[in-house]
Amino acid sequence: MKKAGSIAVSVMLSAGLLLSACGSNDANKGKETPSTEINKEGLPIVNEKVTLSIVSPKAQLAPEYNEMEIFKRLETDTNVHIEWNNIPDTDYGEKKNLLLASGDLPDAFYASQFSDYELITYGEDGTIIPLEDLIKEYAPNLNKLLEERPDVKAAITAPNGHIYGLPTWEENELGTNPFFHVINTEWLNKLNLKFPETLDEYTAALVAFKTLDPNGNGKADEVPLSFMHMQWCMDIGGLFGAFGMPDNLEHRIVRDGKVIFTATQPQYKEALTYFNEKWYKQGLIDPESFTQDAPQYLAKGKTPEPTLGSYVWWEIEEVVGTEQAKNYALVPPLTGPNGDKTIGRGNGGGPGRNAFVITKDNENPEVTMRWIDQQYEPYMAAQIHWGPIGVIYEKDASGKLVNLPLEEGVSMGEFRQKVAPNGAGVITKDHFKTIVDMEPRAQQRKKDLEQTYEPFMEKENYPTIFFEPEELDQINQIEPELMKYVNTQRAKFIVDGVTDAAWDGYVKKVEDMGLSKLMTIYQTALDRYKEAQK
C-alpha cells in the first residue's frame, strides 16, 4: 500500500474507533426485528426455507459443499439452503479480494481467511458487520462457549471491542511443530546405512539414495528429498535448527522474550549455504520442491515402485500410503556442524478468529447466525472438523464420538478433505475428554511430538495477538512485500548459492523495506500482551 493510502486508512481506522459506540448502534438499526420469521429455539430455524449465499475456499479433494453429507444434514435440520460459491483453496485469496473490491458481496464468508487487518478494515468501513449482539441473541451454543472460556472471547474481540469474525479451534496442542521429517528406513537398511543422527549423516544417506539405486529397478528415478517451499507442514524450516536457529513460515521466533527475525541471522545464511552446496548442487533436492502443489507432492510418495527417500509432512501415511508407511520413520532433530540440535515451536496456537464473517448485504443476519451457531454445538463442531456420524464416527455407550475404522488403504488426511469442511466450530480440551475421541492419527501425532520433538523444542513462540489498528496498518504496509522478497530469495539462495556480496545486498534491502520498524511493532505488541497476562 502506498504511503498516502496508508495514511487514509489510518485516519479511517482512527475515526472508526472514535465513533465505534454509535457506529455499532447504527449498524444494528433495522436488524432488531428479523426480516424473516425465525424460531429462536429448536429446529428448524425457519418454517419457510431461506437461501443464503456463502463464499468459501474448498480443499482440492473436497466435493462442492452442497454434495457434502454434513451440509445436507444441516439443510434438512435447519431448513436453510446455502448457495455455495466454492473457490479452490489455491485461488481463494485472490478471488476473495476481487469480490470485496467489486462490492459484489455474498451473505457471508465461511472459513473466510480474513486477516486481522481485513477484519478491522472491513469491519470499520461496514463491509462486514459486528457480531457480538447477534451472538448474544441468536447463538446460544457459541455464547455459552464464550461465557465459559473468556480467553476465547478475548482472542476474537478486536481492540475496538467488536467481534467481526467467529472462532475455529482444535485445542489439542498438535501445532507446536508442523515440520515432521521422514526418511525411508527400508533404503537405509538395504544400503547398510545407520539411522542419521547428524546433518552430515543425513546428507550421506541422501547421496546414497541418489546414486546406489536403493529401489533396485536399474533406473535413476529416486528422489532423495522433496518438500514444498514455505508451506505449512511441508517445508524444511525445522532443519535450520541444526544451525542453532530453526526457521518457520513467519521467519519470526522468540527467545528470552525478544522477537528475532530469523532470515537475516548468520545461522540462516550458514544453513542456506549448506543446503546449496551439500544438497542442491549434488542433485539431492527435488527441483519441483519450489513450485509443486499438494497433489503433485503427495503423488511422489505413491509411485508403483518407491522413489521417495525423504520428505516433510506431519503424517507419514498421507504421503506414502498405508502400505509403504512401515518403511518410513520420523527423523528427530539433527545435530548440526557446530553441535546445535533444536527444533522450532510454531507461532500462534490459540483460536482462529476468521471462521465466519457476515456482510452488510445480508438481509437475514439472524437466520445466518442461528445457522452457523449449529456448528458450535460440541457434537456438530466435531463433525464439522472431522466428518459426520455414520461416516467417521459412532457414539459409544458413554455418548462419546469414537472413530470408525477406515477402509483399507484410505488415508484419514485425504478422506477428511472429502467429508469435513473444517471451517468453523471449537473443540476444547474438555470436549476431547467427553464429546469426541481424538482421531488415531492425531493421537499418534501427539505421541510423536512428545517423544521425538518436544525434548529439543524452542521454549517460546509468538502468540496469537490482535494488534491495534495502527499496528495492523503498518504491518500491512511493510510485511507482504518484505516476506515475498525474503521467501523468493530463500529459494534463490538454495538453488544458486550465497555469496557474501549477495547476502549483504539482501540484508540491506530487507532493512530498507522496513524490517526494524516491523520487528519493533511485533516486540511492542508482545510486551503489551505479556503485561496483560499478569
Side-chain angles (χ1 to χ4, degrees):
M1 183 180 294
K2 292 186 174 68
K3 188 173 183 182
S6 170
I7 293 171
V9 171
S10 296
V11 171
M12 176 193 74
L13 292 176
S14 300
L17 286 171
L18 291 171
L19 299 172
S20 60
C22 62
S24 174
N25 292 335
D26 289 343
N28 290 309
K29 281 182 180 177
K31 298 186 184 298
E32 295 176 2
T33 301
S35 56
T36 299
E37 189 173 341
I38 178 173
N39 300 318
K40 293 186 69 172
E41 295 180 354
L43 294 172
I45 293 171
V46 287
N47 295 326
E48 295 186 17
K49 182 165 286 191
V50 169
T51 296
L52 302 173
S53 63
I54 299 180
V55 169
S56 175
K58 179 182 76 69
Q60 296 192 34
L61 298 179
E64 296 297 314
Y65 280 0
N66 277 326
E67 299 302 315
M68 193 175 276
E69 178 63 25
I70 194 69
F71 284 127
K72 290 181 180 179
R73 295 182 187 181
L74 271 173
E75 178 166 345
T76 299
D77 291 344
T78 64
N79 207 24
V80 176
H81 173 71
I82 307 300
E83 190 176 279
W84 289 102
N85 178 3
N86 282 136
I87 299 171
D89 51 11
T90 51
D91 302 326
Y92 176 75
E94 180 181 355
K95 292 188 176 180
K96 176 200 73 176
N97 291 338
L98 289 174
L99 279 172
L100 290 164
S102 72
D104 183 17
L105 297 174
D107 291 320
F109 288 86
Y110 182 86
S112 76
Q113 296 183 18
F114 276 45
S115 67
D116 286 354
Y117 183 82
E118 290 170 327
L119 289 173
I120 290 284
T121 302
Y122 291 120
E124 291 289 355
D125 74 9
T127 301
I128 58 176
I129 64 173
L131 304 177
E132 59 273 7
D133 292 341
L134 287 168
I135 291 170
K136 290 177 183 177
E137 190 75 14
Y138 295 100
N141 295 308
L142 178 55
N143 196 52
K144 180 174 184 288
L145 171 71
L146 298 184
E147 288 178 348
E148 293 175 349
R149 291 292 299 267
D151 58 322
V152 176
K153 183 176 183 180
I156 66 172
T157 302
N160 64 11
H162 289 309
I163 294 173
Y164 295 115
L166 301 187
T168 180
W169 196 21
E170 297 165 13
E171 195 179 16
N172 52 22
E173 300 177 327
L174 296 183
T176 51
N177 165 44
F179 305 128
F180 282 41
H181 209 76
V182 182
I183 197 166
N184 190 321
T185 53
E186 183 180 46
W187 288 4
L188 290 175
N189 294 333
K190 184 175 181 179
L191 300 174
N192 293 317
L193 296 169
K194 63 173 290 191
F195 195 94
E197 297 179 7
T198 70
L199 189 64
D200 286 343
E201 289 172 351
Y202 175 74
T203 299
L206 297 184
V207 171
F209 291 171
K210 178 176 176 61
T211 60
L212 299 179
D213 191 27
N215 66 11
N217 65 1
K219 304 175 186 176
D221 57 354
E222 288 84 358
V223 178
L225 169 63
S226 191
F227 57 91
M228 287 179 63
H229 179 252
M230 294 306 301
Q231 297 294 318
W232 173 259
C233 93
M234 318 166 203
D235 183 60
I236 56 172
L239 290 170
F240 283 70
F243 298 88
M245 187 168 289
D247 197 21
N248 56 37
L249 299 185
E250 299 84 19
H251 305 299
R252 187 173 68 250
I253 67 172
V254 179
R255 283 182 171 172
D256 298 323
K258 300 302 180 184
V259 183
I260 299 170
F261 189 73
T262 60
T264 53
Q265 304 303 316
Q267 300 95 322
Y268 186 87
K269 178 187 177 185
E270 187 181 0
L272 294 176
T273 300
Y274 187 101
F275 299 153
N276 167 257
E277 295 179 353
K278 303 284 189 177
W279 292 358
Y280 198 84
K281 283 184 177 178
Q282 295 194 78
L284 307 183
I285 293 177
D286 174 11
E288 293 181 344
S289 295
F290 304 98
T291 57
Q292 63 191 340
D293 58 19
Q296 285 177 281
Y297 184 55
L298 294 172
K300 287 177 178 172
K302 302 181 181 70
T303 52
E305 293 177 301
T307 57
L308 188 56
S310 188
Y311 61 93
V312 187
W313 193 272
W314 62 358
E315 182 187 356
I316 292 176
E317 292 83 355
E318 194 165 355
V319 177
V320 297
T322 53
E323 278 296 307
Q324 283 294 320
K326 64 183 182 296
N327 297 325
Y328 290 81
L330 295 179
V331 180
L334 296 164
T335 302
N338 303 315
D340 297 299
K341 184 176 183 177
T342 183
I343 191 79
R345 182 178 292 274
N347 290 328
R353 45 182 164 252
N354 59 4
F356 194 78
V357 301
I358 297 177
T359 76
K360 64 181 180 181
D361 288 357
N362 189 319
E363 296 181 356
N364 293 286
E366 302 84 6
V367 173
T368 307
M369 181 56 72
R370 277 223 64 203
W371 178 83
I372 193 65
D373 184 58
Q374 303 309 305
Q375 300 182 38
Y376 289 90
E377 188 281 320
Y379 282 105
M380 181 55 73
Q383 295 176 77
I384 289 294
H385 279 248
W386 291 288
I389 294 171
V391 177
I392 292 293
Y393 294 117
E394 64 180 0
K395 280 189 180 181
D396 67 11
S398 69
K400 189 175 185 180
L401 298 180
V402 295
N403 288 271
L404 292 167
L406 294 174
E407 294 182 13
E408 187 175 350
V410 173
S411 160
M412 180 58 192
E414 295 185 355
F415 191 51
R416 180 181 182 181
Q417 291 186 35
K418 299 176 182 178
V419 298
N422 193 20
V426 171
I427 300 94
T428 67
K429 286 181 180 180
D430 287 342
H431 293 156
F432 280 117
K433 296 174 184 176
T434 60
I435 300 295
V436 59
D437 202 17
M438 195 178 290
E439 59 178 317
R441 66 179 187 150
Q443 295 177 28
Q444 182 63 49
R445 189 177 301 155
K446 193 169 183 64
K447 181 179 177 182
D448 290 338
L449 280 166
E450 292 171 351
Q451 295 181 352
T452 306
Y453 296 109
E454 286 183 3
F456 311 100
M457 197 174 288
E458 295 281 306
K459 303 304 180 188
E460 302 169 75
N461 75 343
Y462 199 91
T464 303
I465 295 174
F466 214 140
F467 294 91
E468 298 287 348
E470 310 82 50
E471 293 170 335
L472 287 170
D473 185 39
Q474 293 178 66
I475 289 170
N476 191 62
Q477 288 181 60
I478 299 169
E479 193 166 64
E481 288 304 313
L482 187 150
M483 291 294 287
K484 181 179 179 181
Y485 173 70
V486 166
N487 293 341
T488 299
Q489 286 301 119
R490 184 185 192 244
K492 184 175 176 61
F493 284 143
I494 292 174
V495 172
D496 296 337
V498 192
T499 66
D500 288 342
W503 177 258
D504 292 343
Y506 156 78
V507 171
K508 182 180 185 304
K509 182 166 182 177
V510 173
E511 286 293 343
D512 290 344
M513 295 176 80
L515 176 62
S516 293
K517 185 176 183 180
L518 185 66
M519 289 300 104
T520 298
I521 294 168
Y522 279 117
Q523 186 68 61
T524 300
L526 178 61
D527 293 343
R528 183 177 65 240
Y529 174 88
K530 288 189 171 184
E531 186 64 29
Q533 307 304 306
K534 294 179 180 179

